[in-house]
Amino acid sequence: MAEADDRTFLGLSDVSISEDIPVEGEITVPMASHSQDEDYSTLDEPVKETIIRDLKAVGKKFVHVMYPKKSNALLRDWDLWGPLVLCVSLALMLQGGSADSKEDGGPQFAEVFVIIWFGAVVITLNSKLLGGTISFFQSLCVLGYCVLPLTVAMLVCRLVLLAGMGPINFLIRLIVVIAMFAWSTLASTAFLADSQPPNRKALAVYPIFLFYFVISWMILTFTPH
Amino acid sequence: MAAPQDLTFREFEVAADLLAETPGATTISSLREPQGHVSLAADTGDQENGDLEENDQTQLLEGEKQPPNFWTFSYHQSFFDVDTHQVLERIKNSLLPLPSQNFVRHCLRHHPDLYGPFWICATLAFTLAVSSNLATLLQNWREASFSYSPQFHKVTVAGITIYCYAWLVPTALWGFLQWRKGVGERVGCYTFLEIVCVYGYSLFIYIPTVVLWLIPVSGLQWFLGVFAVSLSGAVLLLTFWPLVRSDTKVVSAVLLIVVIALHALLAIGCKFYFFQSLPSRSIPVTQAPLRQVTPPGSSKTSAAP
């Protein structure tokens, strides 16, 4: 029995490499050097490429907001360029409203800016305090990007108001603003509601509803000179 | 061969074994991330373990109960530790003043939250501004000289008023009750956050009231105002009555009257500032020149005997 075992053992030794042939080769991982090259290349690339890549990322997020599916792209690579652009354009479009006295007019640029950013920060803090698992800037990113439908509504309202004031005019604006308000709220809820504990979803969603309601109210009550 | 027992969750078996070995141990399991520790004390009928283990247990329990630092996030998170149904239940209880149910003892149960007060105040401030704008529009849209304006400054005014009322009045009340507790012996006191919580939830009834004030029937508006003030005022009274019941009659009466008066003043002030009709706003302007004319005349007549 032992001999049989020796024979199998010898068979194995036949397979082994003889000592004359030196063992050599490279241990470096080819992938590591490739990524290092990539890091260097983003520094060396022309500015136009960097800007276009960032613009593409922003544009991709706009598409995600307009067609909200449960994807993680918006949450994973957050950026605040989109919200800044939307906030500034919305605040600019809300200027030039009617003002009998200095007090009685619509919101000033600074008021719109403060409401949007301060409101988004408060909602984010609220959802984090309630036990949400989303990070601070991710939530800011989502809330800011979901202002896009309302910015579109503002644009439409300004164009409609060029045709003059009137009840039909008002009805069109009302329908557009209500539709965009619902779209904004649903889009942001689709992204943010999953990160909340299940028995507190309504508590986290209600402030978002209030936030977009206030912005919609500002858009609807805009009256030009 | 693997026994069927091997397929069960081994962790609980291990824990059960440990518990069986040390009956005096305390097991801690976190129910909710990131906070919400519940310590389950196993059967501690074993008195022979001596003082050392009891000290460890009490230290452990005290370590659990020790409140986190003010500057940490988890300190503030403890004030938002409410579920949806709890918030709805608290709102419902703020609308129904039942003498047997003290809002603080029965509903809050040493678990005040800041979610309700903060968001009810925010909602009320925006509702006030929106309603007041719509009311101005409804009253004047038939007039030819009327031009619509959003009146956005009302949001700022409403916000400041509501938040000042909901935070300064509880501060004053808490300070006063602390002083009475120092002076008297049997006067109790709620914590500051419980008082803020009561005031915040008691403002909820003003939200539908403000919306209904859009109906331009004056009698209905006054009825709604009185109804809202009495309902939420009753809840406040019933909350604070057990505290000052053992104090002197004068002090308790004054306190309760001040609570109700401030509550009513808020409602009346909002009604007059935000829902004023346009003609009455012009009256003070015409009266001012008359007031300027009379004082020189009156001083001459008062000199004469």
Side-chain angles (χ1 to χ4, degrees), chain B residues 158-185:
Chain B
I160 291 177
T161 316
I162 302 286
Y163 273 100
C164 277
Y165 175 77
W167 285 85
L168 292 182
V169 173
T171 311
L173 202 59
W174 178 77
F176 181 76
L177 284 173
Q178 289 282 70
W179 172 59
R180 291 312 293 178
K181 190 166 106 170
V183 168
E185 277 179 7

Side-chain angles (χ1 to χ4, degrees), chain A residues 98 100 103-107 111 115 122-123 125-126 128-132 199-204 206-207 210 213-214 217-218 221-223, chain B residues 32-34 73 76-78 80-85 87 115 118-119 122-123 126 129-130 133-134 147-153 155-156 281:
Chain A
S98 75
D100 306 85
E103 282 191 340
D104 244 12
E111 283 174 333
I115 283 182
V122 166
I123 293 174
L125 278 178
N126 178 64
K128 282 192 81 68
L129 283 168
L130 282 172
N199 46 355
R200 296 180 184 185
K201 276 209 170 74
L203 293 185
Y206 170 71
L210 188 65
F213 179 79
V214 170
W217 175 255
M218 285 197 293
T221 59
F222 173 76
T223 47
Chain B
R32 271 198 294 270
E33 288 293 325
F73 194 68
H76 299 278
Q77 210 162 19
S78 60
F80 283 78
D81 196 13
V82 279
D83 295 337
T84 312
H85 70 92
V87 171
Y115 177 89
F118 184 78
W119 288 110
T123 312
F126 285 118
V130 169
N133 200 358
L134 283 175
S147 64
Y148 173 75
S149 64
Q151 292 173 322
F152 203 72
H153 66 285
V155 172
T156 326
R281 211 190 288 166

